[in-house]
């Protein structure tokens, strides 16, 4: 009977959903690099940041929530770590992009791209979250397999010990009787 690993199941679910939403966000963000500029014909330039916002918000907020929680804990405990960096990087990229999408008039013309929109980094935030989720899934899977291997090794431990009596004969006794 396989042992359940709730944290692994949760991270795997987060990774799968995040991947499904991040891939289209990448395609939208990098659409001008695709042959024939297919994306430009499907989504108008003015709508592009809004579509990316819709796709990446669940990835950043729900998928990345464990990293934001751990990042906050690292700040509270004054023990900065990888999750502090992830939370800051993803948070800044996402918030900047959110402001650029909702309030583009706040930005100077030098921030505008050829099509007049302000450049956003939604896909970068989503990719970071998705890749870190992949790393967490791999780590948790390896940890669970290591735990199973250790349990299997412990299962190989003998249940009895051989005791040599004073007369030179030996006998097998349960380990719990050995002092």
């Amino acid at each position: 009977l396989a042992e359940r690993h709730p944290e692994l199941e949760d991270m795997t679910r987060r990774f799968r959903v995040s991947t499904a939403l991040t891939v289209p966000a990448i395609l939208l963000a990098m659409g001008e690099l695709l042959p024939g500029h297919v994306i430009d014909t499907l989504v108008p330039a003015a709508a592009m940041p809004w579509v990316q916002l819709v796709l990446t918000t669940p990835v950043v907020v729900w998928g990345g929530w464990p990293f934001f929680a751990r990042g906050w804990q690292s700040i509270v405990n004054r023990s900065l770590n990888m999750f502090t960096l992830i939370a800051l990087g993803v948070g800044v990229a996402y918030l900047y992009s959110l402001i650029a999408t909702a309030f583009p008039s706040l930005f100077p013309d030098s921030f505008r791209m050829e099509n007049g929109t302000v450049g956003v980094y939604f896909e970068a935030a989503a990719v970071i979250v998705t890749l870190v989720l992949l790393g967490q899934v791999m780590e948790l899977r390896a940890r669970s397999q290591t735990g199973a291997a250790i349990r299997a090794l412990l299962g190989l431990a003998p249940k009895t010990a051989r005791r040599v009596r004073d007369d030179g004969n030996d006998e097998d006794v349960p380990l719990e009787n050995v002092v």
Side-chain angles (χ1 to χ4, degrees), residues 108-169:
D109 289 338
S110 61
F111 278 59
R112 298 187 184 282
M113 300 186 316
E114 292 173 7
N115 62 16
T117 62
V118 177
V120 293
Y121 301 98
F122 289 120
E123 87 288 350
V127 166
I128 291 168
V129 167
T130 303
L131 289 175
V132 175
L133 283 167
L134 173 61
Q136 291 296 294
V137 167
M138 291 170 64
E139 178 183 344
L140 290 167
R141 192 171 289 153
R143 222 185 289 158
S144 72
Q145 290 171 349
T146 301
I150 290 172
R151 282 188 293 284
L153 281 173
L154 290 173
L156 296 175
K159 309 282 187 263
T160 60
R162 181 150 299 164
R163 177 173 56 187
V164 178
R165 290 185 273 169
D166 292 336
D167 64 4
N169 292 326

Side-chain angles (χ1 to χ4, degrees), residues 4-19:
R4 289 194 68 236
H5 299 280
E7 187 180 12
L8 174 58
E9 292 169 9
D10 178 54
M11 287 293 176
T12 301
R13 185 180 320 103
R14 288 176 193 272
F15 170 69
R16 288 180 178 155
V17 170
S18 295
T19 299

